[in-house]
Amino acid sequence: MTELYGVRRGGLALIVLISTLAIAAPAGAACGGVQRFAAQRHRAPGPPPLAVGDSVMLGAAEELAAAGFDVDTRGCRQMGEGLGVLAARGGSLPRLVVMALGDNWVIETSQIRQALRILGPGRVLALVTPRTGGSDIDTIRAAGRRWPARVKVLDWVGYSAGHADWFYGDGLHLAPGGQHGFARLLSRAFAFARPLEARLTRVAPTAAVERFEAEP
């Protein structure tokens, strides 16, 4: 009887596993594949800035490309996958990378630190606050305070406040007005694409350089 019960339990577990995979497969497929859009204009020294995001960014991808970004998006993308996108580019990364993630899972300070290591000296990471809220907003803002020379915060939460018409029913994905607003906000990051040395010298030469050399 024990053996029979064991067989039944094993069979049930197998059925549950198969059912789970059957459900997960369409869900994963619904996220879509990676979509890339090449910058249509050149607004900064070196390669065009890179914008990495999820399905939210996908809504504004064409406008971002028109503004001068290379865009790399995929629905359901999490920060870990975003780090993989950066690592795959290696030394070919531009001076400025914008990451708009956090809607599908949490962002950890350790992941931001890893992003800075991948980017290396001389590059700037701009992080977009996600409208899903939670700890991600605090984590991103804290990173901006901790590494002010290398991490810039693009406050999408604050910028989009009061613009319910910018979004579809979920309050997250971009309607036409939100596509324009998102692209406008991210375009502010072009100011960060100047060489790091020039920006450090302009703000506070000695102290800023000392702080940068100790980071992250």
Side-chain angles (χ1 to χ4, degrees):
M1 187 65 179
T2 302
E3 292 179 357
L4 178 60
Y5 180 69
V7 170
R8 286 177 177 171
R9 286 187 63 190
L12 179 60
L14 180 60
I15 292 172
V16 171
L17 176 60
I18 293 173
S19 299
T20 301
L21 291 175
I23 294 171
C31 293
V34 175
Q35 298 198 44
R36 299 185 178 92
F37 300 77
Q40 297 176 18
R41 58 185 298 195
H42 203 93
R43 294 179 52 171
L50 172 65
V52 178
D54 52 24
S55 58
V56 173
M57 180 179 286
L58 181 58
E62 292 184 358
E63 296 197 14
L64 290 170
F69 286 98
D70 280 343
V71 182
D72 188 306
T73 70
R74 190 183 78 83
C76 306
R77 177 176 280 166
Q78 299 177 10
M79 187 63 171
E81 183 183 333
L83 293 174
V85 172
L86 303 190
R89 293 197 173 220
S92 66
L93 285 164
R95 293 185 192 276
L96 171 66
V97 171
V98 177
M99 300 187 80
L101 298 169
D103 292 313
N104 300 290
W105 195 245
V106 297
I107 296 175
E108 303 287 349
T109 301
S110 60
Q111 293 177 312
I112 297 175
R113 184 182 291 109
Q114 185 178 351
L116 292 176
R117 288 173 179 161
I118 294 172
L119 292 178
R123 295 189 178 96
V124 174
L125 174 65
L127 296 173
V128 181
T129 56
R131 281 178 57 88
T132 47
S135 62
D136 293 338
I137 297 174
D138 293 335
T139 299
I140 288 172
R141 289 174 176 165
R145 293 190 298 269
R146 182 171 184 176
W147 298 295
R150 302 187 65 194
V151 176
K152 304 298 180 182
V153 178
L154 296 171
D155 191 0
W156 177 234
V157 173
Y159 190 75
S160 63
H163 294 283
D165 58 314
W166 283 8
F167 304 94
Y168 290 115
D170 60 3
L172 183 65
H173 291 92
L174 305 174
Q179 296 166 12
H180 298 319
F182 194 80
R184 282 197 304 269
L185 176 65
L186 267 61
S187 292
R188 293 182 177 181
F190 284 109
F192 310 140
R194 296 192 305 272
L196 182 60
E197 297 79 6
R199 286 184 289 104
L200 288 174
T201 302
R202 186 175 178 181
V203 177
T206 305
V209 171
E210 289 176 351
R211 185 173 62 245
F212 169 71
E213 290 178 345
E215 298 168 350

